[in-house]
Amino acid sequence: MTASFWRRIVTCVFALVAASATAKAETLRGHALVVGQSNYEHLAPLPNPANDAKAVSGLLGQLGFTVQLAENRNAAELRSNLDAFVEDSAGADVALVYFSGHGVEAGGENFLLTTDADPAALDAAGGNVVALSSLLKPLRAQAKIVIVLVDACRTNPFPDGTLVRTAIDPDGVAIGQEGLGLPRGTTVLSSDNGNENLGLVIGFAAEPGKAALDGEPGGNSPYAAALLKHFAAGEQQFSDLMTMVTEEVYLKTRARQRPWTNASLRRFLFFGGSTERTEGDEAELREARRELLLRIASVPKYNRNYVESLAERDGLPLDALYGMLAELQVDTSAGPAKIGQQLRAGAANLKRILEKTAPSAKMDPELVRLTGLAGRAESEGLMRLAKRFRAEASARADELVRALDESKEDSAEDRLELASVYAGEADTAVLMFDFDLAADSYLAAFDQARKWDEARAFRYKVGEAGALTSLGKFAGDRDLLEDAVIAYGEALELVSRRRNPLDWAEATNNLAGVHVELANLEESPDSLRTALKLFQQALKRRPRQQEPELWGKTQNNIGVTHLQIAYREEGTRSLKRALKAFGQALEVFTSESESAFYASVHTNMGDVFRNLGLRGKGTGDFEMGVNSLRKALEYQSIDKDPYIWSITQTNLGNTYLFWGEREGDREILALALAAYEQALSFQTRERMPFEWANVQSNVGNTNKVLGVLTEDLSVLESAVRAFEASLEERTFDKSPRSWAATKLELGKTHLEIGRLQVSRETVETGKAIVEDVWATFREAGFDSYDAFFAAEIAQFDQVLAEL
C-alpha cells in the first residue's frame, strides 16, 4: 500500500476540541487498520472475526477514515501490515487499530495471535504472536491520537502449561486462562507536557482478566455489534461513544461481559460526521437508547448489583429493568427503600407481562406500526418512548372504536384486537409505575373484551385491580384500595372456582393482599382476618402436589398475616400459627430451589421468634430468632440485594439487643452493635434517612442498656449522641410515635447519666425532654397517653428526691 494512498485528506469527519469553551474545532485526518483473524492453522477457528472486521472496516470508511482491511494474517503478513501502518500514520491526527481474533496475556504482556500461532513453537514473542506494546510505542510517536480496540479477550486457546518466552522472561511465562491483562504503559497524560501526542485510547472487549463472548456464528461479537451500533453517533464525545459501547455490551450479554477502556486524551474528540438519519422513528429509538446507556453508566454499584440479581433470579432482560429504574430515579421521591420495593414489584409485573401472549392488532396499518414501535422501545428499555407510542396507538384505537360503535357492525376479532391495544398501553404504564393510566387502560380493554371473551375480560379486570392496588399502596390511599377490592370482586364473578381453580385462586390471593394493605392503614385486625380467610380459600385451590411453589408462597402469606395480627393482640397464639405456616413454606422451598425466598421465610421466622421472646420469660426464643436470621444472611448479600440484606442485619441487631438486655450479657449486646454497624454500611443518611434514623435509635438503645449495665459514662454518652442523630430525621411531623419513643429514651439516658454523676442538672435535663414530649402529644390531641407520661415523670422525681 503506497504512502500517497494512506495520506488522503479526510475533511469534516473528526473534530479535536480543546477544553476551552471558545476553542475552535480542528479538521483531522484519520487512518485505520482493521484486522480480522478467523482461520487459525493450529487453533480452533473463530467464525465471527472476519464478519467483525468487514463490518467495522465499512463503518470506519463511511465515517471518513482511510482504511486498510487485513484478514487472516500470519506472523510475517501481520507485522508487515503493522509496520506499514505505523509508517503511513506519520503526521496523522488519528490512528485507529481494530483487532478481532485470538489474544492472550502472559507475564503482564498482551499478545495478538497470528493465524500461524502454534503452541509447539511459541519460542519468542517475536515468533508467531505480536506483543501489543510493540505496536503502541511507535504508533504514539507518529500520530497525535492513537486508538487501539482489541476484540480478542476470548479464553486461552492453548493447552494448559503453554509458555511464551520473551526477552524479559527467557525461561517462559504461563499464559493466562481468561482475557487480556492491564496493558503496559497506560499512564494518563498530563494536561500539558510539551508532547505533540494528544492521547492514547485502549479498549478491550472485556475487563482485564475476563473472557469475552464471540457471539452467534454468522453474526458479530457483542463488542463489534456495539461499535457498529454506536460509533456513527454524530456530535458525541468519543468518551461517550465508548461508554455507550460498554453499556450496550453489558446489557446484551446480561452482565456477563463489560468492556474496558483506558483513555488519556488531552482534548475532546468528536467524530463529527455521521452516516445516520437524524429524523424518523428509527432515529428516535436510537437516540433514546443512547441516553439510557449513558444514564446506566452512572448507576451506583449497589443499584447495578440489585438490578442484576433481579434479572438473574427471574430471567428478566436488563434493558427493561434499567428502564424502570430510570423512571423511579426521575419520578419517585419515596426514597431508596420504597424505590427498591417498587422495583421488585415492577420486576414481578415485567415477568407477568413477558409470560403472557397477547394478540397483535392486524386490522389497521397504523396500529401495527405503533404497537411494533412500542414493543421495540420496551425491549430496549426505552419506557417513555414506549409509553408515547402506546398512547398514540390507543388514540388510534379510540377512533376505530367510535367507528365500530357508529356502524353497529361488531365482531369478536375487531373488538379483541382493540382490547389488546389498550392492554398494551396498560402494561407499559405498569412498567412506568403510572398505575393511574394503567387502571384506566385496563378498564378500556375490559370494556372491549367483556362481551366476547370472558377469560380475557377477567385478565383485564385483574390488571385494573392490580393497578388500583399499587396506587393505593404507594399513596397510602384507603379509597383506592377499596376500589381495588371492588374490581377483584368483579373479576371473581367472571371466573369459575371449579373450572378455573388456579385463576380463581390467583385473584383471591391478590384480593387478600389488598386487605393486608388496608390493615396497614388501620389499628383493627379485622382486615387482616379477612385476608387470612381469603389466603386459606386460595390455598384450597392450590394443592401442594399440583402447585407446590404457589402453595408454599401462599403459606408464607398466611404466616405474614398471622404475624401482623400478633402485633395487634396479646398472647402468642397468632405467633405460633405464623411459625407453623412458615415451617410449611420451608417444606417446599429449599436453599437450592429458590434461595431468595428461602432466606425471606427465615427472616420472617426470625421476627416471630423475637416477638415470642419479648412475650415470654426465657431467652431460648431470642436464640432461635438469631439462628433464623443468620440462616437468612447465608443466602443474602450486600452485592445482590443490599436493602434486604441491611434490613436483615437490623433485625438481627434488634434480636441481639433484646436477648442481651434480658441476660444482662455485654457480649451479646456487642453483637447487636456489630449488626447495626453492618446495616449502616448501606443504610446511610443520604441514601435511606428514615431507616438510618431507625438504626441510630437502636444503637442508642443498645448503648443505653450497655452503659447502665457497666456503669460506663462514655457508653451512655454514646447513646445520647445516637439518639440525637436519630432525631435529626425522626421528627414529630414525619413519625410522631417514633419521635416520641426516641426522645423518651434520650431523656431516660440523661436520667442514668445524672444518677451516676450525682447531677441534679442532668436529671432535670432528661425530665424536661420527657415533659416536652408529653406537651407535644397533648397539643396534638393524644390525651390517652397522660397516665403513661405521668408514670415516666414520677421516675425522674424519685431520682431527684434521692440526690
Side-chain angles (χ1 to χ4, degrees):
M1 194 66 65
T2 64
S4 61
F5 176 83
W6 280 107
R7 290 173 182 159
R8 289 186 303 173
I9 299 296
V10 182
T11 60
C12 300
V13 176
F14 310 104
L16 185 64
V17 183
S20 168
T22 60
K24 294 182 179 179
E26 305 171 19
T27 301
L28 304 183
R29 293 179 296 138
H31 300 325
L33 173 65
V34 177
V35 182
Q37 305 281 71
S38 283
N39 300 329
Y40 285 89
E41 298 173 17
H42 307 287
L43 304 174
L46 295 173
N48 289 339
N51 302 330
D52 298 337
K54 286 186 177 69
V56 171
S57 176
L59 173 64
L60 294 175
Q62 292 172 8
L63 290 175
F65 281 89
T66 302
V67 183
Q68 181 188 11
L69 175 61
E71 297 183 274
N72 297 318
R73 293 307 203 248
N74 61 31
E77 292 168 338
L78 183 57
R79 282 198 173 80
S80 176
N81 290 140
L82 292 173
D83 290 343
F85 181 68
V86 170
E87 178 185 347
D88 293 332
S89 294
D93 297 300
V94 179
L96 187 153
V97 177
Y98 170 81
F99 179 93
S100 181
H102 276 305
V104 296
E105 180 274 333
E109 177 64 270
N110 294 303
F111 297 97
L112 309 179
L113 303 192
T114 59
T115 56
D116 57 347
D118 185 349
L122 293 181
D123 294 330
N128 46 23
V129 295
V130 175
L132 183 60
S133 62
S134 68
L135 168 65
L136 297 178
K137 185 175 180 180
L139 200 54
R140 291 186 68 180
Q142 296 285 72
K144 290 181 180 178
I145 295 174
V146 174
I147 300 171
V148 179
L149 305 176
V150 185
D151 195 356
C153 307
R154 298 164 177 87
T155 53
N156 175 22
F158 295 113
D160 291 345
T162 301
L163 303 178
V164 173
R165 294 178 176 84
T166 68
I168 299 175
D169 300 292
D171 294 331
V173 290
I175 296 174
Q177 289 304 303
E178 287 195 341
L180 302 181
L182 284 171
R184 289 176 173 172
T186 55
T187 55
V188 178
L189 295 175
S190 63
S191 59
D192 186 7
N193 60 6
N195 191 333
E196 189 180 7
N197 184 276
L198 295 177
L200 168 68
V201 177
I202 298 179
F204 288 170
E207 295 169 302
K210 295 187 178 180
L213 304 174
D214 193 44
E216 294 297 324
N220 296 115
S221 73
Y223 191 57
L227 290 171
L228 295 169
K229 188 172 184 178
H230 298 297
F231 243 46
E235 304 303 324
Q236 294 279 0
Q237 285 191 53
F238 184 76
S239 60
D240 286 343
L241 293 183
M242 295 307 295
T243 297
M244 294 172 194
V245 168
T246 296
E247 301 305 335
E248 185 73 42
V249 172
Y250 164 77
L251 292 179
K252 290 306 181 187
T253 61
R254 295 183 58 81
R256 289 179 293 169
Q257 179 178 334
R258 189 177 177 84
W260 174 89
T261 303
N262 180 288
S264 56
L265 292 173
R266 293 168 54 209
R267 295 290 188 273
F268 296 137
L269 175 64
F270 295 80
F271 288 179
S274 177
T275 62
E276 300 173 334
R277 294 184 59 182
T278 58
E279 296 180 353
D281 296 330
E282 294 297 327
E284 198 167 9
L285 286 164
R286 187 171 56 241
E287 290 309 308
R289 174 68 169 188
R290 289 169 180 166
E291 289 177 9
L292 177 64
L293 295 174
L294 293 175
R295 179 174 289 182
I296 290 173
S298 64
V299 170
K301 182 181 179 183
Y302 66 87
N303 273 347
R304 189 182 287 267
N305 291 340
Y306 184 54
V307 171
E308 290 171 12
S309 69
L310 282 178
E312 181 182 3
R313 186 190 71 186
D314 295 328
L316 298 175
L318 284 172
D319 314 63
L321 290 175
Y322 275 111
M324 288 191 290
L325 181 63
E327 295 310 315
L328 285 171
Q329 289 176 329
V330 171
D331 295 336
T332 300
S333 58
K338 280 288 182 70
I339 288 175
Q341 184 182 11
Q342 285 182 268
L343 189 57
R344 287 193 297 276
N349 287 326
L350 176 62
K351 186 176 182 181
R352 172 183 61 80
I353 290 167
L354 291 175
E355 286 174 347
K356 75 177 185 179
T357 56
S360 60
K362 300 176 181 177
M363 65 182 189
D364 182 77
E366 184 65 2
L367 284 182
V368 173
R369 184 184 76 85
L370 291 169
T371 54
L373 287 170
R376 286 180 58 192
E378 286 171 9
S379 69
E380 295 272 283
L382 314 177
M383 299 305 177
R384 293 198 173 191
L385 196 54
K387 184 180 180 182
R388 201 197 78 198
F389 288 136
R390 294 290 187 193
E392 292 175 7
S394 290
R396 176 60 180 158
D398 290 342
E399 296 175 5
L400 296 174
V401 166
R402 286 192 292 269
L404 285 174
D405 290 344
E406 292 170 2
S407 69
K408 308 298 183 183
E409 294 181 2
D410 264 356
S411 75
E413 182 180 8
D414 290 344
R415 292 293 183 177
L416 292 176
E417 286 186 347
L418 289 168
S420 74
V421 174
Y422 292 124
E425 181 178 30
D427 289 344
T428 301
V430 166
L431 300 182
M432 289 278 294
F433 306 96
D434 187 346
F435 298 112
D436 200 355
L437 173 61
D440 289 343
S441 297
Y442 280 129
L443 179 58
F446 169 79
D447 287 339
Q448 295 301 310
R450 59 180 168 179
K451 179 180 176 182
W452 308 100
D453 191 319
E454 195 172 78
R456 281 193 210 172
F458 165 76
R459 290 200 299 270
Y460 297 147
K461 182 56 71 171
V462 166
E464 178 196 0
L468 290 168
T469 302
S470 296
L471 267 179
K473 175 180 178 179
F474 292 116
D477 189 315
R478 184 181 185 87
D479 291 339
L480 287 169
L481 291 172
E482 290 178 343
D483 288 343
V485 170
I486 294 171
Y488 274 122
E490 293 172 351
L492 286 167
E493 292 176 1
L494 298 171
V495 66
S496 167
R497 183 187 313 201
R498 182 176 56 82
R499 293 193 304 272
N500 305 101
L502 293 182
D503 286 344
W504 184 90
E506 179 184 5
T508 302
N509 185 78
N510 292 347
L511 175 58
V514 182
H515 284 285
V516 171
E517 295 300 330
L518 281 167
N520 293 331
L521 303 177
E522 59 192 28
E523 297 289 337
S524 167
D526 291 345
S527 291
L528 288 170
R529 293 196 173 100
T530 300
L532 192 59
K533 291 178 183 178
L534 291 168
F535 280 133
Q536 289 167 339
Q537 288 174 12
L539 196 65
K540 293 178 182 178
R541 298 295 165 175
R542 288 177 163 177
R544 177 174 175 176
Q545 294 76 14
Q546 296 178 18
E547 298 289 337
E549 181 176 326
L550 294 176
W551 183 87
K553 289 187 175 180
T554 303
Q555 287 288 2
N556 181 67
N557 291 340
I558 290 172
V560 170
T561 307
H562 278 303
L563 179 57
Q564 293 296 320
I565 292 173
Y567 288 141
R568 291 165 168 80
E569 64 182 19
E570 301 293 330
T572 61
R573 182 179 61 177
S574 292
L575 290 172
K576 291 178 179 178
R577 289 177 175 176
L579 204 58
K580 180 180 178 181
F582 292 138
Q584 290 179 314
L586 288 176
E587 291 177 7
V588 174
F589 292 98
T590 65
S591 59
E592 292 78 17
S593 64
E594 192 168 340
S595 60
F597 189 76
Y598 176 82
S600 71
V601 176
H602 274 289
T603 298
N604 293 337
M605 292 178 71
D607 289 344
V608 174
F609 281 121
R610 183 172 61 253
N611 281 278
L612 284 169
L614 288 170
R615 298 181 189 193
K617 294 183 179 180
T619 60
D621 287 323
F622 290 132
E623 186 173 0
M624 292 290 288
V626 163
N627 291 338
S628 292
L629 292 166
R630 291 171 74 172
K631 176 67 73 173
L633 285 168
E634 290 179 17
Y635 301 95
Q636 296 170 350
S637 73
I638 192 170
D639 289 334
K640 286 190 174 181
D641 194 332
Y643 174 69
I644 295 298
W645 174 86
S646 64
I647 292 299
T648 305
Q649 291 285 0
T650 300
N651 291 341
L652 178 62
N654 293 343
T655 308
Y656 276 130
L657 167 58
F658 296 132
W659 182 8
E661 183 176 21
R662 182 163 294 175
E663 287 275 7
D665 191 312
R666 304 178 193 181
E667 292 183 0
I668 295 175
L669 293 169
L671 291 172
L673 291 174
Y676 293 139
E677 184 178 358
Q678 289 289 305
L680 288 171
S681 68
F682 177 75
Q683 294 180 23
T684 63
R685 183 176 182 182
E686 295 74 22
R687 187 182 291 152
M688 302 170 65
F690 184 82
E691 287 80 2
W692 173 84
N694 178 50
V695 178
Q696 289 290 350
S697 185
N698 292 340
V699 169
N701 284 323
T702 308
N703 278 324
K704 173 176 171 287
V705 173
L706 193 57
V708 171
L709 185 65
T710 60
E711 296 188 343
D712 189 326
L713 284 173
S714 65
V715 176
L716 290 170
E717 287 165 355
S718 294
V720 168
R721 289 193 295 273
F723 287 133
E724 289 175 343
S726 176
L727 289 167
E728 292 175 11
E729 293 291 344
R730 267 190 168 183
T731 63
F732 180 81
D733 292 338
K734 292 179 181 178
S735 179
R737 288 180 175 81
S738 295
W739 170 84
T742 304
K743 288 269 287 188
L744 181 63
E745 292 303 319
L746 174 61
K748 294 169 77 170
T749 305
H750 280 291
L751 172 66
E752 298 299 336
I753 292 173
R755 195 200 307 267
L756 287 175
Q757 291 180 328
V758 193
S759 170
R760 292 182 60 86
E761 181 180 359
T762 304
V763 176
E764 291 283 3
T765 298
K767 180 180 178 181
I769 291 171
V770 177
E771 288 175 335
D772 175 63
V773 178
W774 189 1
T776 304
F777 261 45
R778 274 188 163 180
E779 290 174 7
F782 298 140
D783 296 337
S784 60
Y785 290 92
D786 282 353
F788 169 80
F789 283 111
E792 293 294 327
I793 293 297
Q795 295 181 38
F796 286 87
D797 289 337
Q798 180 178 347
V799 172
L800 287 170
E802 295 171 354
L803 291 178

